[in-house]
Amino acid sequence: VYTLPLIEFDNTWKFVAIVRDQSVGQTRIYLNGNEVYNISAVWATTGNFRIGGDDIPSARFHNGSIDNVRAYNRALISTEIQQHYNNR
């Protein structure tokens, strides 16, 4: 489970993209089209995929709205993330 310490959730609309490139073990997090977080970590490849919550007994969930969710079968590059943000 990752927390997003660099993103202030202040009741304003945010464009957040999380890109996981398993081939290089890298995760990049974008806020409003700009990369704000880059980590190297191993992710489990089994289990539930969740958006807005986690899979632990305390069941923490995002308290707000999530819309326009997209999932890809490949890691997007930074210019593609910027295009998605610009075309929102």
Side-chain angles (χ1 to χ4, degrees):
V1 174
Y2 288 95
T3 58
L4 304 177
L6 302 176
I7 299 174
E8 181 179 332
F9 294 99
D10 57 1
N11 292 326
T12 60
W13 183 89
K14 304 275 193 284
F15 174 90
V16 178
I18 302 173
V19 177
R20 174 68 188 149
D21 189 344
Q22 190 73 18
S23 68
V24 296
Q26 183 180 49
T27 300
R28 294 183 316 276
I29 300 175
Y30 296 83
L31 175 63
N32 297 333
N34 299 306
E35 186 177 315
V36 295
Y37 202 49
N38 187 323
I39 59 170
S40 295
V42 175
W43 281 24
T45 57
T46 60
N48 297 324
F49 175 73
R50 295 182 183 255
I51 297 172
D54 57 30
D55 201 19
I56 62 171
S58 65
R60 298 174 294 190
F61 294 97
H62 171 68
N63 183 17
S65 298
I66 298 174
D67 68 357
N68 202 10
V69 175
R70 299 176 187 188
Y72 296 86
N73 63 355
R74 64 181 178 82
L76 300 181
I77 60 174
S78 60
T79 55
E80 292 172 307
I81 298 295
Q82 188 65 49
Q83 287 172 346
H84 283 290
Y85 174 68
N86 291 337
N87 296 325
R88 64 187 186 281

